[in-house]
Amino acid sequence: MLPLTPTTLNGDDDTMIARNLASIRARIAQALAGAGRAAGDVTLVAVSKTNDAAAVAAAMAAGQTVFGENRVQEAAEKFPRTGATLHIIGGLQSNKVRAALGLADCIETLDRPSLADAIDKAGAATGRVPDLLVQVNIGDEPQKSGVGLGQADGFIRAMRARFGARLVGLMCIPPAFGDSGPYFRRLAAMADTHGLAVRSMGMSGDFEAAILAGATHIRVGSAIFGQRRSSDVT
Ligand SMILES: *Cc1c(COP(=O)(O)O)cnc(C)c1O
């Protein structure tokens, strides 16, 4: 039987989250050192999707401040929280953009012109546009979101022209199986080409390879909060 995500936390779960965070932080430090990069060069985005507000509170008590959620509705139930920064990391429907702008400090999944239109419009109405990352479908997989490799350069340029400094970087989810390293290096090279500082790449299973390839943000869920019921990564 798969372990289930608890709906409420007991002391043991709090301890587990704190212990997992300490272990991830140590592994990040080691990977940075191994890559010859400065300590603190990577931001850990704790992916709290499917975990409840108590789990977020436990992570915050253990010093975690940056969180990732993939559904706006679910995020709204846990955020905003004082002292927390929220990244939207899941595919975003245009009709959820206004709500997303009210919650998020960063939207990592800008991947089509119609979403850019919705962000522009909601940003004008709310007076606030968060940091934006273009999601690149780095393995050109038909089932995955993200702008395809053939369109990526043109789309990134268009988003740069449209959002200026609000466009801060790129995000990718490489193919689920095999070595992620080549995909991470490709995303980093693409970010370099466009002069974009942020590279959000690497999850529980491959964040060290991402750090080696130049990730500035890693998105780690299950290694902090425990296994989810379904994988839910697109
Ligand atoms: C769920 C998710 C993650 C975290 O995955 P883990 O393997 O649990 O670390 C990272 N990025 C995205 C886009 C996700 O949807």
Side-chain angles (χ1 to χ4, degrees):
M1 204 177 91
L2 287 172
L4 299 182
T5 304
T7 50
T8 52
L9 287 179
N10 57 40
D12 289 350
D13 297 315
D14 277 34
T15 308
M16 176 200 75
I17 289 170
R19 209 177 42 226
N20 287 345
L21 274 168
S23 145
I24 300 288
R25 287 181 191 128
R27 287 169 59 189
I28 292 170
Q30 199 165 21
L32 281 170
R37 298 178 57 190
D41 233 17
V42 161
T43 298
L44 172 61
V45 179
V47 178
S48 46
K49 68 185 183 198
T50 76
N51 291 280
D52 63 12
V56 173
M60 289 186 79
Q64 181 63 28
T65 57
V66 187
F67 293 87
E69 288 279 343
N70 63 350
R71 293 179 201 282
V72 174
Q73 186 61 47
E74 186 187 333
E77 292 162 14
K78 300 174 226 174
F79 300 90
R81 302 174 77 95
T82 308
T85 297
L86 178 68
H87 289 218
I88 295 293
I89 61 166
L92 185 56
Q93 292 168 271
S94 296
N95 63 359
K96 301 275 168 60
V97 164
R98 190 146 181 174
L101 260 51
L103 290 172
D105 302 279
C106 181
I107 292 174
E108 299 204 8
T109 50
L110 176 54
D111 65 353
R112 59 191 190 279
S114 61
L115 183 57
D117 291 345
I119 291 172
D120 232 358
K121 195 166 151 209
T126 58
R128 176 169 181 273
V129 174
D131 285 345
L132 301 171
L133 306 186
V134 166
Q135 180 177 358
V136 179
N137 185 355
I138 202 75
D140 253 343
E141 297 173 281
Q143 80 285 9
K144 274 227 172 103
S145 9
V147 60
L149 285 180
Q151 292 84 52
D153 283 320
F155 185 70
I156 294 164
R157 273 196 298 275
M159 293 303 100
R160 203 2 144 11
R162 184 157 192 176
F163 293 108
R166 296 260 60 94
L167 180 70
V168 296
L170 306 180
M171 175 273 215
C172 76
I173 307 168
F177 301 101
D179 181 7
S180 302
Y183 298 102
F184 293 152
R185 288 194 289 277
R186 176 179 275 181
L187 191 83
M190 206 178 272
D192 281 345
T193 299
H194 291 276
L196 294 168
V198 174
R199 303 98 201 267
S200 172
M201 53 192 197
M203 313 194 298
S204 291
D206 56 12
F207 69 84
E208 281 132 331
I211 290 171
L212 193 59
T216 60
H217 290 64
I218 58 173
R219 309 176 308 268
V220 178
S222 49
I224 297 172
F225 295 105
Q227 285 302 323
R228 291 178 300 275
R229 258 165 282 195
S230 63
S231 92
D232 211 9
V233 180
T234 54

